[in-house]
Amino acid sequence: MLKERQKLILIVRETPYNFIHLKNMVSLTESGAIILPATPSFYSLPQTIDDLVDTVVNRVLDLAGFENDGFKWQGDRILRGSD
């Protein structure tokens, strides 16, 4: 993906990160990759575990350029899919 200048999104989940993890993530970021920690967002006030998972999945879909009906920031407003 990087060789072809395509978008590479890496969802990292292991924490705490050690020095090797961080060096590799810096190197990948400098090469054009996007590092997305699989950390749920609480801004959308999730009510269930599925809601928490959806916050990560929606961010991945957004970065990949897919339309989705998930939670989004819009300036100082919060938008949900149907807003």
Side-chain angles (χ1 to χ4, degrees):
M1 295 302 284
L2 294 175
K3 178 177 85 76
E4 299 296 327
R5 303 279 189 231
Q6 299 292 319
K7 189 179 285 190
L8 176 64
I9 303 167
L10 300 170
I11 298 95
V12 294
R13 65 177 189 88
E14 294 299 328
T15 60
Y17 302 127
N18 66 36
F19 184 69
I20 294 169
H21 290 129
L22 296 170
K23 277 180 53 176
N24 287 336
M25 286 191 278
V26 166
S27 178
L28 285 162
T29 300
E30 290 173 342
S31 298
I34 298 170
I35 305 294
L36 181 93
T39 307
S41 164
F42 293 93
Y43 300 111
S44 60
L45 305 175
Q47 301 297 308
T48 66
I49 295 295
D50 285 343
D51 291 345
L52 284 173
V53 171
D54 285 347
T55 65
V56 176
V57 171
N58 288 333
R59 278 187 286 160
V60 172
L61 291 173
D62 245 3
L63 280 172
F66 293 100
E67 289 291 324
N68 69 76
D69 293 334
F71 168 85
K72 290 184 179 73
W73 283 106
Q74 180 70 28
D76 59 352
R77 292 180 359 164
I78 297 172
L79 292 181
R80 300 190 195 284
S82 60
D83 289 351

